[in-house]
Amino acid sequence: MPQRAIFALVALLVMCGLPGLPGCVVFVAPRRDDTPPPPVYVAPLPCPAGYGWSPGYGCVPLPAVPPPGYPPVITRVKSAHLNLRSCPGTTCPVIASLVQGEEVRVLGYGDGWTRVYCPGRNLEGWLSGRHLSDY
């Protein structure tokens, strides 16, 4: 082996032995009669807040935790006929006409109008909140 190659090998071994040089790998060819070494498990580095470890992907964002759920508010129409509109206002187009006793699920409120979902018709829209039974 030439003297230059020996010097390079010795320099590599000295550098890889230093604790401050990460990622230094020295390849030593295995002999045929050597048994393979057992697999080594390397623990992942801790992920920052809001991230979790995923094998094969590394640190990935954790899903947002939904706010605590509230039980749905379900009420009924108390007028003989009630227009379900596409937006909150009397100038908005009518989607459907609801009848007295029809069940609706309250989704939100705004300016005296109530946003509802009608499970029997699979429709969502706005109606005047004063025409609903007390809830």
Side-chain angles (χ1 to χ4, degrees):
M1 186 180 249
Q3 186 176 5
R4 180 175 249 176
I6 292 172
F7 178 73
L9 182 60
V10 170
L12 180 66
L13 290 174
V14 168
M15 287 175 48
C16 286
L18 295 175
L21 295 174
C24 192
V25 176
V26 177
F27 175 75
V28 177
R31 297 188 322 226
R32 278 194 247 167
D33 58 341
D34 283 347
T35 57
V40 177
Y41 173 75
V42 178
L45 295 174
C47 295
Y51 287 81
W53 181 259
S54 176
Y57 296 100
C59 291
V60 294
L62 293 174
V65 178
Y70 296 101
V73 176
I74 297 175
T75 185
R76 297 189 181 276
V77 175
K78 69 177 181 181
S79 328
H81 294 284
L82 181 60
N83 289 331
L84 180 69
R85 299 182 179 272
S86 60
C87 59
T90 55
T91 58
C92 297
V94 175
I95 299 172
S97 182
L98 306 179
V99 294
Q100 187 174 10
E102 193 165 346
E103 187 176 272
V104 293
R105 183 177 183 180
V106 176
L107 302 176
Y109 307 96
D111 294 332
W113 292 84
T114 305
R115 186 170 164 237
V116 297
Y117 170 72
C118 305
R121 300 182 186 216
N122 197 23
L123 291 174
E124 185 178 316
W126 293 84
L127 45 83
S128 177
R130 64 182 178 194
H131 298 288
L132 295 174
S133 62
D134 294 331
Y135 49 87

Coordinates of all heavy atoms in Angstrom, one line a residue, residues 40-47 53:
V40 N -29.8 -1.9 14.7 CA -29.7 -0.9 15.7 C -30.8 0.0 15.6 O -31.1 0.5 14.5 CB -28.3 -0.1 15.6 CG1 -28.3 1.0 16.6 CG2 -27.2 -1.1 15.7
Y41 N -31.6 0.3 16.7 CA -32.7 1.2 16.7 C -32.1 2.5 17.1 O -31.5 2.7 18.2 CB -33.8 0.8 17.6 CG -34.9 1.8 17.8 CD1 -35.8 2.0 16.8 CD2 -35.0 2.6 18.9 CE1 -36.8 3.0 16.9 CE2 -36.0 3.5 19.0 CZ -36.8 3.7 18.0 OH -37.8 4.7 18.1
V42 N -32.4 3.6 16.3 CA -31.9 4.9 16.7 C -33.2 5.7 17.0 O -34.1 5.8 16.2 CB -31.2 5.6 15.5 CG1 -30.8 7.0 15.8 CG2 -30.0 4.7 15.1
A43 N -33.2 6.2 18.3 CA -34.4 7.0 18.7 C -34.4 8.3 18.0 O -33.4 8.9 17.7 CB -34.3 7.2 20.2
P44 N -35.6 8.7 17.6 CA -35.7 10.0 16.8 C -35.4 11.2 17.8 O -35.6 11.1 19.0 CB -37.2 10.0 16.4 CG -37.9 9.2 17.3 CD -36.9 8.1 17.7
L45 N -35.0 12.3 17.2 CA -34.8 13.5 17.9 C -36.1 14.0 18.3 O -37.1 13.8 17.7 CB -34.0 14.5 17.0 CG -32.6 14.1 16.6 CD1 -32.1 15.2 15.7 CD2 -31.7 14.0 17.8
P46 N -36.2 14.7 19.5 CA -37.5 15.3 19.9 C -38.0 16.3 18.9 O -37.2 17.1 18.4 CB -37.2 15.9 21.2 CG -35.8 16.0 21.3 CD -35.1 15.0 20.4
C47 N -39.3 16.3 18.6 CA -39.8 17.3 17.7 C -40.2 18.5 18.4 O -40.5 18.5 19.6 CB -41.1 16.7 17.0 SG -40.7 15.3 15.9
W53 N -43.6 12.8 15.8 CA -42.7 11.9 15.0 C -43.5 10.9 14.2 O -44.4 10.3 14.7 CB -41.7 11.2 15.9 CG -40.7 10.4 15.1 CD1 -40.8 9.0 14.9 CD2 -39.6 10.8 14.3 NE1 -39.8 8.6 14.1 CE2 -39.0 9.7 13.7 CE3 -39.1 12.1 14.1 CZ2 -37.9 9.8 12.9 CZ3 -37.9 12.2 13.3 CH2 -37.4 11.0 12.7

